Amino acid sequence: MMGFFDSFFKEKYNWEEVKYSEQAYPINSISLITIKTENVELTTGWIDKGYEHYSFKKYCPYNFLILVNLNGRENAANMQAIEDYFADKLREVCIAHMLARVVSKDNMSIELYLDDQEAGLNQLKVMQEDADKPASFEWEVLYDPKWKLVKGLMHL
């Protein structure tokens, strides 16, 4: 009888298999946004709404918010390269979902969800010491297995 219940409640997906397959990342659905901040500064960015109904959120519960210092025009012109740098470096060590990027006058915020907090933190520390990094940055990490922190973003 226990075997029946085990198979009934068994997970539909095996994350260890999924994370090495095409299913690990959804098809992108990029929406461009413009937001006015509290001090009436205009900011721009994008949101990947392909993650709105992502089936594997609970396997990537670590919200990483990376704040990149753009240091004026030279780094601002290279925003895509900066974004690619973070995505590529983090994806070397774990599953890293880039959900949004918002740019203000001096900073760029990158919102990601990772499956491995320790690997992500270690990689960011290595990146911070990298003499060839495209810009200085800092980060914040929160545990958010239901992705509640970005729920509002998905409805912009």
Side-chain angles (χ1 to χ4, degrees):
M1 192 69 154
M2 190 59 141
F4 170 75
F5 287 113
D6 287 343
S7 64
F8 184 72
F9 291 110
K10 187 175 180 179
E11 296 238 15
K12 201 161 124 176
Y13 306 104
N14 178 340
W15 176 243
E16 290 305 311
E17 291 175 10
V18 169
K19 75 180 185 178
Y20 297 109
S21 74
E22 291 180 13
Q23 290 180 298
Y25 295 96
I27 296 171
N28 296 95
S29 179
I30 304 296
S31 294
L32 301 177
I33 59 170
T34 304
I35 304 170
K36 279 189 180 178
T37 63
E38 293 173 4
N39 61 357
V40 194
E41 183 180 322
L42 195 60
T43 62
T44 61
W46 60 260
I47 300 164
D48 188 346
K49 292 190 176 187
Y51 283 99
E52 188 171 7
H53 301 291
Y54 183 60
S55 299
F56 308 108
K57 290 177 182 176
K58 72 179 184 178
Y59 298 109
C60 301
Y62 303 104
N63 175 272
F64 278 63
L65 180 62
I66 300 172
L67 184 63
V68 180
N69 183 352
L70 293 178
N71 290 329
R73 296 178 194 263
E74 64 201 40
N75 280 335
N78 295 318
M79 287 187 291
Q80 183 65 49
I82 293 169
E83 180 183 312
D84 291 344
Y85 173 80
F86 283 98
D88 293 346
K89 290 289 188 181
L90 288 168
R91 288 179 180 163
E92 286 176 7
V93 298
C94 62
I95 300 296
H97 300 288
M98 190 171 291
L99 271 66
R101 175 185 82 188
V102 178
V103 179
S104 64
K105 182 178 162 187
D106 299 316
N107 298 303
M108 175 169 56
S109 298
I110 301 172
E111 189 101 34
L112 301 107
Y113 277 85
L114 277 62
D115 71 328
D116 188 332
Q117 179 182 15
E118 186 176 339
L121 288 171
N122 290 338
Q123 185 73 329
L124 286 173
K125 290 173 186 172
V126 168
M127 292 164 62
Q128 203 164 42
E129 300 300 319
D130 181 4
D132 295 327
K133 68 181 175 283
S136 63
F137 63 94
E138 55 189 60
W139 66 85
E140 177 181 308
V141 180
L142 296 169
Y143 181 71
D144 182 25
K146 294 185 179 182
W147 295 25
K148 290 181 179 181
L149 295 170
V150 295
K151 189 173 184 167
L153 280 176
M154 293 297 155
H155 298 289
L156 288 178

